[in-house]
Amino acid sequence: MNPQHYTDFDHGISAIDTGYHQPQFDASHLIVRDGRAAFVDTGTSLSLDRLLAVLERADVAPADVDYVFITHVHLDHAGGAGALMQHLPNARCVVHPRGAKHLVEPDKLVAGTIAVYGEAEFARLYGEIVPIPAERVVQSADGASFSFGGSTVELIDTPGHALHHYSIVDPASNSIFTGDTFGVSYRVFDSDNGAFIMPATTPTHFDPDQAHASVDRLMSYAPEAMFLTHYSRVTDLDRLAADMHLGIDRYVAIARECADADDRIGCIKKKMHAWLSQRLDAHGADIPDETRDKWLAMDVNLNAQGLSVWLDRTRK
């Protein structure tokens, strides 16, 4: 397969570019330990061939995959779970109790996404969403442990981005698979100063207090690295955690500044884009404005919508 579609790390971890939206935008991760394996997030149904190709490359049979861990059920991360499970006869899909129903009966989640994107765009982005039989879905409690290949991981509840969000603590690599809780860090924004990070406040569950608390909980494990779905491994975590706290506070301040604007979302988008651009300049991200704007566009749009929903919720 194309080597640009995957990146190998130590401790049997590989990042798989799911092909969603643009290259190195959205990652699934494969963990291989002593011939057994687990996936963390799946991308969409259109990502299936890439996931199975990396599994084959790792010389792991589909029957030897024990788990598919879903950090949260947003379709860019969990839309392909059903399609993948059809190829993994012995795997169980582990998910937050708040998200399990959407994997077993995805109709409501699909309808809500189609309402945002339209049917044609939904099909282009996500393909077919395949339900998972309820008996193959495990609803995990906060702090539950799961073992495979002599390795044990812990799932911890980390709301803030979504109420149905877990992160997966992996002591063997001293790292955590954080979904979107520890923000978004695209490799295109890397500079001599390291990685650049920004919060993800997409609709509809963003809560700043929970987001701050979840970042602190992740850091309490003193990990060496975080594996993000957007996009994969980051280190220098003390700096990035501080940047996450700063970003959450600034996003909230921007939302409040725009709360009564005639075009609230437009106002938030404009201010957020300006602030992130300023931060990228200070970070030394030496990329053309056109490239920067392309990579910021989806996040700024979705983050603005999420902040607007949060404003409405807090004003009730």
Side-chain angles (χ1 to χ4, degrees):
M1 68 178 295
N2 189 332
Q4 295 180 342
H5 293 166
Y6 63 87
T7 306
D8 292 331
F9 300 98
D10 293 337
H11 305 285
I13 298 170
S14 297
I16 306 164
D17 185 346
T18 68
Y20 179 76
H21 188 49
Q22 55 189 349
Q24 289 202 322
F25 181 86
D26 181 84
S28 168
H29 290 94
L30 176 66
I31 310 171
V32 179
R33 304 276 162 78
D34 291 338
R36 309 298 298 186
F39 283 96
V40 179
D41 291 327
T42 66
T44 74
S45 296
L46 304 175
S47 309
L48 178 63
D49 288 347
R50 293 188 180 191
L51 272 59
L52 294 177
V54 172
L55 185 66
E56 181 179 10
R57 177 181 166 274
D59 198 26
V60 176
D64 293 334
V65 177
D66 292 318
Y67 297 107
V68 175
F69 295 110
I70 299 298
T71 61
H72 59 303
V73 299
H74 291 166
L75 289 181
D76 52 337
H77 308 307
L84 179 62
M85 289 289 287
Q86 290 182 328
H87 292 264
L88 309 177
N90 298 318
R92 290 181 292 168
C93 185
V94 184
V95 64
H96 194 287
R98 287 179 176 268
K101 62 183 179 182
H102 295 297
L103 299 183
V104 176
E105 299 178 354
D107 292 353
K108 184 177 179 180
L109 189 62
V110 169
T113 308
I114 289 175
V116 174
Y117 290 104
E119 289 189 7
E121 185 68 0
F122 176 89
R124 185 186 72 82
L125 288 173
Y126 302 109
E128 179 185 4
I129 307 302
V130 179
I132 303 174
E135 62 271 18
R136 300 191 67 193
V137 175
V138 177
Q139 299 183 36
S140 177
D142 180 36
S145 296
F146 296 84
S147 298
F148 60 98
S151 187
T152 300
V153 298
E154 177 189 3
L155 270 64
I156 59 172
D157 198 5
T158 50
H161 173 75
L163 288 171
H164 47 76
H165 202 300
Y166 275 137
S167 297
I168 296 98
V169 180
D170 178 31
S173 63
N174 192 23
S175 60
I176 307 177
F177 296 83
T178 63
D180 287 344
T181 294
F182 201 72
V184 169
S185 180
Y186 300 124
R187 303 282 61 81
V188 71
F189 292 152
D190 289 354
S191 74
D192 291 342
N193 294 312
F196 179 85
I197 206 161
M198 54 188 176
T201 61
T202 51
T204 56
H205 293 159
F206 170 67
D207 182 284
D209 293 337
Q210 291 178 340
H212 282 303
S214 289
V215 170
D216 288 340
R217 186 176 187 188
L218 293 169
M219 291 298 292
S220 74
Y221 285 80
E224 176 184 334
M226 305 285 199
F227 285 92
L228 286 53
T229 47
H230 307 283
Y231 186 83
S232 201
R233 190 176 190 268
V234 294
T235 55
D236 194 10
L237 299 181
D238 287 338
R239 175 179 65 83
L240 294 182
D243 287 350
M244 278 292 293
H245 287 305
L246 175 69
I248 293 165
D249 287 340
R250 182 58 192 144
Y251 280 17
V252 166
I254 287 171
R256 288 174 171 154
E257 290 166 9
C258 296
D260 296 318
D262 291 338
D263 179 8
R264 178 199 283 175
I265 290 178
C267 176
I268 295 173
K269 288 169 62 175
K270 182 177 180 180
K271 287 177 175 284
M272 182 182 293
H273 186 278
W275 186 74
L276 289 172
S277 295
Q278 181 183 27
R279 293 277 297 166
L280 282 165
D281 288 343
H283 183 66
D286 186 18
I287 54 176
D289 289 350
E290 181 180 355
T291 302
R292 179 198 64 199
D293 294 347
K294 175 183 176 182
W295 278 87
L296 288 178
M298 179 179 283
D299 287 274
V300 167
N301 181 50
L302 292 174
N303 287 343
Q305 293 180 45
L307 288 168
S308 183
V309 171
W310 169 75
L311 282 170
D312 288 339
R313 189 169 66 245
T314 57
R315 288 182 161 196
K316 289 181 179 178

